[in-house]
Amino acid sequence: MSEWISWRDQQLIIEKIYRSEDAITSTKKFNEEYQDKIGKVGEAEMLLNDFGRKLKETGLDSFYLERYIKEVTGKDLNLEAL
């Protein structure tokens, strides 16, 4: 069974990446920086694995990305295995 991540959870993860308290502004900043490479995130529900692959392509530290995904969604995702 495929697991999905909501657009809101995506935004909350991005908020943690920027250590911010504003998910909308953080998502806008993230998309401005990375959308040419990975496309936009935080706007529509998508498969959790697809979201993880997109985050992995940013080159950000996988340890922190996995931790933020777990904190927001409660799901473990091994980015190195994607």
Side-chain angles (χ1 to χ4, degrees), residues 1-38:
M1 183 170 97
S2 300
E3 298 194 44
W4 292 82
I5 183 168
S6 70
W7 61 271
R8 182 66 181 144
D9 283 350
Q10 293 171 46
Q11 288 183 351
L12 292 174
I13 291 166
I14 293 167
E15 177 182 28
K16 288 181 175 292
I17 290 170
Y18 285 105
R19 295 182 175 100
S20 169
E21 294 185 10
D22 181 359
I24 295 170
T25 302
S26 295
T27 302
K28 182 179 177 186
K29 180 178 177 181
F30 184 88
N31 282 329
E32 286 172 357
E33 188 169 347
Y34 295 108
Q35 76 180 357
D36 289 343
K37 185 174 185 178
I38 65 170

Side-chain angles (χ1 to χ4, degrees), residues 6-7 15 17 22-23 25 35 39-41 45-46 48 52-53 61 65 68 70-71 79 82:
S6 70
W7 61 271
E15 177 182 28
I17 290 170
D22 181 359
T25 302
Q35 76 180 357
K40 286 190 173 186
V41 296
E45 184 178 56
M46 69 174 63
L48 182 59
R53 281 186 195 95
D61 190 321
L65 296 174
Y68 300 150
K70 174 75 172 179
E71 287 175 7
L79 295 180
L82 297 177

Side-chain angles (χ1 to χ4, degrees), residues 41-55:
V41 296
E43 295 184 346
E45 184 178 56
M46 69 174 63
L47 288 171
L48 182 59
N49 284 345
D50 291 344
F51 180 69
R53 281 186 195 95
K54 286 178 180 259
L55 290 183

